[in-house]
Amino acid sequence: MNKTERLLAIVLELQRKGVLRAEDLAAIFETSRRTIYRDIQALSEAGVPVVGSPGLGYSLMEGYFLPPVSFTVEEAVVLLIGADFIEQKFDISYGARAQTSQRKIEAILPESVRREATRVRTSIRLLASGEAVNSGQEKEYIETWRQSILEERKVNFYYSKVTSADGDKRDSVRTVAPYGLVLVSGAWILIARCDLRQELRHFRLSRMSNLTVLEDRFKVPSNFNLQDYQPADDRHLCVRIQANHTISDKIKESNNFYMESLEDHQDGLIVTLRVRQIEEILSWVLGWGAEVVVLEPESLRDRVREEAERMLKRY
């Protein structure tokens, strides 16, 4: 990064974060504090109103905002594809704003950059991973959860959970304090503290109904950070299957969430998975038919055998 690029980047960082110390800027741009001091002096001489506060750091004078900057083709593509993603996967309100954002970005791009960005963009397609694109109902739920998270208001809803391979469901009423939304393999997951369980739980939006935003307020714990959050791993059941070589590539490409390891052997591909209960993996195993055999646990072997017998009776 040359000096001109660094000066622009410093202004953008101050505009984005408000106040930064010289050592913070030095760490960000991998340079010395002395260089940052010279850069701040150069910005001031160029008319950029940088204010230095002893013991606090540097900031931009209130009301100052850097005019629109030019985008490279790659930067424009990133922004436009990001808007495509928001339009597909978020709620209707954000989807509409994604469209207007696209139009504004395209309007300020030079013709050559816009043409090249369009060419690259049309070569990339966003597909839902693992599940179909969100239903209209689910998009409405995203908007409800988004607002309740920002307003720190509890929500009551009905939750339906499949409890067996036969499709049996167990419905319950939950009241939760929502902490955040996460998109996992094409499915939206709510991270929330459940009043019933008195702990953090995960809820699929696709299994919800009858959402009611309550007047009850809550506070997200100061030590909770959604970006750093790692759920406790309670997948204690080890599953091992052997797959014929004819489908080993397909098994690898399936990228099943529960997979832990893949080992090529003379007799086939050995797949090790770790789950909470066998129902989580039963349908996936059955989907490969006679091309796979369960090595362990015996309980899963029994369930596969039972399902095969039930299918045989149907035919």
Side-chain angles (χ1 to χ4, degrees), residues 146-312:
R146 182 167 56 78
Q147 290 296 333
S148 61
I149 290 168
L150 294 176
E151 296 172 6
E152 296 187 324
R153 294 175 64 178
K154 290 188 175 182
V155 180
N156 180 272
F157 60 95
Y158 285 92
Y159 194 65
S160 179
K161 186 174 182 179
V162 176
T163 58
S164 73
D166 299 329
D168 295 333
K169 293 183 178 181
R170 182 182 67 224
D171 295 334
S172 60
V173 179
R174 302 297 182 98
T175 297
V176 303
Y179 287 6
L181 287 167
V182 181
L183 185 65
V184 181
S185 299
W188 281 105
I189 307 295
L190 173 74
I191 310 298
R193 179 173 176 80
C194 177
D195 283 4
L196 178 64
R197 305 300 184 192
Q198 288 295 299
E199 62 182 359
L200 277 182
R201 301 299 288 259
H202 303 171
F203 303 93
R204 280 179 175 257
L205 267 61
S206 60
R207 296 175 181 170
M208 298 176 179
S209 62
N210 300 333
L211 272 65
T212 303
V213 180
L214 307 176
E215 293 300 324
D216 297 0
R217 303 279 178 164
F218 68 93
K219 279 291 182 184
V220 177
S222 59
N223 62 350
F224 178 82
N225 185 317
L226 185 62
Q227 306 306 318
D228 299 331
Y229 171 69
Q230 292 289 339
D233 189 355
D234 56 353
R235 297 175 293 154
H236 304 306
L237 182 61
C238 179
V239 174
R240 294 178 70 245
I241 68 170
Q242 179 177 300
N244 292 341
H245 286 302
T246 53
I247 64 164
S248 60
D249 287 342
K250 292 181 180 179
I251 292 276
K252 294 173 183 177
E253 291 167 2
S254 71
N255 195 29
N256 187 283
F257 172 77
Y258 299 107
M259 280 185 189
E260 280 202 337
S261 66
L262 300 164
E263 302 174 34
D264 284 304
H265 288 264
Q266 183 177 355
D267 296 330
L269 179 71
I270 304 298
V271 184
T272 301
L273 310 100
R274 196 166 295 277
V275 299
R276 300 175 187 86
Q277 52 191 8
I278 58 177
E279 283 77 16
E280 293 176 323
I281 204 68
L282 179 60
S283 295
W284 184 80
V285 172
L286 290 170
W288 298 108
E291 297 295 326
V292 304
V293 59
V294 176
L295 302 179
E296 61 173 296
E298 191 62 33
S299 58
L300 180 55
R301 290 173 58 88
D302 291 340
R303 288 297 300 276
V304 171
R305 189 180 300 111
E306 290 169 6
E307 290 298 316
E309 291 173 352
R310 291 177 60 189
M311 286 189 287
L312 183 59

Side-chain angles (χ1 to χ4, degrees), residues 70-86:
S70 59
F71 295 112
T72 65
V73 171
E74 291 79 8
E75 291 167 340
V77 169
V78 167
L79 292 172
L80 292 171
I81 289 179
D84 286 338
F85 176 82
I86 295 296

Side-chain angles (χ1 to χ4, degrees), residues 126-154:
L126 285 179
L127 293 175
S129 174
E131 290 190 359
V133 175
N134 306 114
S135 66
Q137 183 70 74
E138 193 169 340
K139 283 193 174 184
E140 290 181 17
Y141 287 171
I142 294 172
E143 185 166 13
T144 299
W145 286 117
R146 182 167 56 78
Q147 290 296 333
S148 61
I149 290 168
L150 294 176
E151 296 172 6
E152 296 187 324
R153 294 175 64 178
K154 290 188 175 182

Side-chain angles (χ1 to χ4, degrees), residues 11-21 51 57-61:
V11 176
L12 291 174
E13 282 296 312
L14 292 176
Q15 187 170 283
R16 185 166 67 94
K17 294 187 176 179
V19 180
L20 285 171
R21 300 172 301 169
V51 180
Y58 297 105
S59 62
L60 295 175
M61 184 178 294

